[in-house]
Amino acid sequence: MNEKQSSQSTLTILMILSMITWGVSWPANKVLTSFGTPVVLGFFRYGFVVISLLILLVLIRTKLLVSKKGIPFILISGALMATYNYTFLAGLQNGSPGAGGILVTTLNPVMAYGLGMLIDWKRPTKNESIGLLIGVIAGLTLLKIWGNEAVFAKPGNLYFLLSAFIWSVMSKFTSKSAKYGSPFAFTWWMYLVTLICIIPFCNVTAIGKLIQSTDIHFWGNILFSSIIAVTLATTTYFFATSKIGAEKASSFIFIVPFSAAIFSFAILGENLEIHTIIGGLLGIAAVYMINKK
């Protein structure tokens, strides 16, 4: 195995671990929605992310300098991330959390490829087309669409549809990060912009109450969802977009629903049904097909 193949294999393993981490964070995010609004939770999440990622960058001796040409991409990506934080958590509060997770994770790769075709005039390969089709079937199976036809019509679930679109657009911007410096430095500045966008809309009183809280459920879940799920897993995802493109990186998201279902079963005691297992395995098959040489 040459150096390039070894690097690709390492990135693939890291992406799979990151998607599993996103799955674990799903029940954590469900718990967090009972503690505050999407804006307040976003303040804590990205506050911890900015601090923890900065410490990580110092440890690995990565400079924070980025090209001036990359500033517009950072500003747009940060604003999109702030918007995504709101729509995603609002969906958890107002929509169907289980269905929402499947909607977002199924539509993300499909929308990313659609945007890629429109922006780059790049058609999916045969394997990518087959993988996307399998991924859509996986999502419909996970939703158990044959008995849940009205899932797309529920008002709260519109937040999830919007979240999927925002994420796919943001992925296209982060895929350009390597042109302007270190992808990790680009991501740190993006998270900082996200935090700055959130701060003006925060309820100071609500933030003060949570800071004084001793509830382990809040602190445990917010630290996990920020430091582990965002600083490590999401940053790995954005790094991957700069290396393999937004389309292929987004395909790994098909793994998340199955991972989320497994950990929701283990942590929250939710039922793990046969259609969930079948849909999850189809999602994994979709990732394999899309990334197959």
Side-chain angles (χ1 to χ4, degrees):
M1 182 182 292
N2 59 39
E3 185 177 345
K4 182 178 180 181
Q5 289 175 324
S6 177
S7 178
Q8 289 176 337
S9 297
T10 300
L11 184 59
T12 298
I13 293 170
L14 289 174
M15 282 293 286
I16 292 172
L17 291 175
S18 295
M19 298 303 101
I20 292 173
T21 301
W22 280 5
V24 179
S25 73
W26 189 252
N29 284 322
K30 287 184 185 180
V31 173
L32 283 174
T33 56
S34 64
F35 286 94
T37 65
V39 173
V40 169
L41 294 175
F43 170 81
F44 279 95
R45 170 177 290 168
Y46 291 102
F48 283 121
V49 167
V50 167
I51 295 170
S52 58
L53 184 55
L54 179 60
I55 293 172
L56 179 61
L57 294 181
V58 170
L59 290 175
I60 63 176
R61 298 180 180 180
T62 299
K63 295 181 179 180
L64 291 176
L65 296 177
V66 294
S67 168
K68 290 182 179 179
K69 293 182 180 179
I71 293 176
F73 289 86
I74 290 173
L75 295 176
I76 294 172
S77 298
L80 287 171
M81 177 63 88
T83 307
Y84 173 83
N85 174 80
Y86 177 82
T87 56
F88 181 72
L89 291 177
L92 285 177
Q93 289 182 328
N94 302 293
S96 304
I102 297 166
L103 286 173
V104 173
T105 51
T106 302
L107 290 175
N108 265 335
V110 176
M111 289 183 175
Y113 269 90
L115 283 172
M117 291 174 64
L118 290 173
I119 296 172
D120 302 326
W121 293 102
K122 178 184 176 183
R123 295 179 60 184
T125 64
K126 181 180 178 181
N127 283 344
E128 289 172 339
S129 298
I130 294 172
L132 286 171
L133 178 60
I134 294 174
V136 171
I137 295 172
L140 295 176
T141 303
L142 286 163
L143 283 171
K144 201 176 180 180
I145 196 66
W146 53 89
N148 195 22
E149 297 87 352
V151 66
F152 294 101
K154 292 182 179 179
N157 286 345
L158 293 177
Y159 283 113
F160 293 120
L161 297 176
L162 184 57
S163 295
F165 177 73
I166 292 170
W167 188 270
S168 60
V169 174
M170 181 172 57
S171 295
K172 292 298 292 182
F173 281 98
T174 60
S175 68
K176 310 296 182 183
S177 62
K179 294 182 178 180
Y180 309 110
S182 165
F184 296 111
F186 180 99
T187 305
W188 184 82
W189 285 108
M190 181 192 73
Y191 289 143
L192 181 62
V193 172
T194 300
L195 180 61
I196 292 171
C197 289
I198 289 173
I199 288 175
F201 302 98
C202 287
N203 183 320
V204 178
T205 302
I207 291 174
K209 288 181 179 180
L210 283 177
I211 289 175
Q212 296 174 14
S213 172
T214 57
D215 194 319
I216 190 63
H217 292 95
F218 170 72
W219 289 110
N221 284 298
I222 197 68
L223 288 172
F224 175 83
S225 67
S226 57
I227 297 175
I228 306 300
V230 179
T231 298
L232 298 181
T234 305
T235 299
T236 298
Y237 171 84
F238 288 137
F239 175 76
T241 65
S242 71
K243 296 298 181 181
I244 60 177
E247 293 81 13
K248 284 192 178 294
S250 67
S251 70
F252 284 87
I253 300 177
F254 281 131
I255 297 172
V256 178
F258 189 41
S259 174
I262 294 293
F263 285 100
S264 291
F265 166 74
I267 298 172
L268 302 178
E270 295 185 356
N271 293 331
L272 186 61
E273 301 181 31
I274 186 64
H275 72 273
T276 303
I277 297 173
I278 294 173
L281 294 175
L282 285 172
I284 295 171
V287 175
Y288 172 77
M289 284 301 301
I290 291 173
N291 291 277
K292 181 181 178 182
K293 293 293 184 184

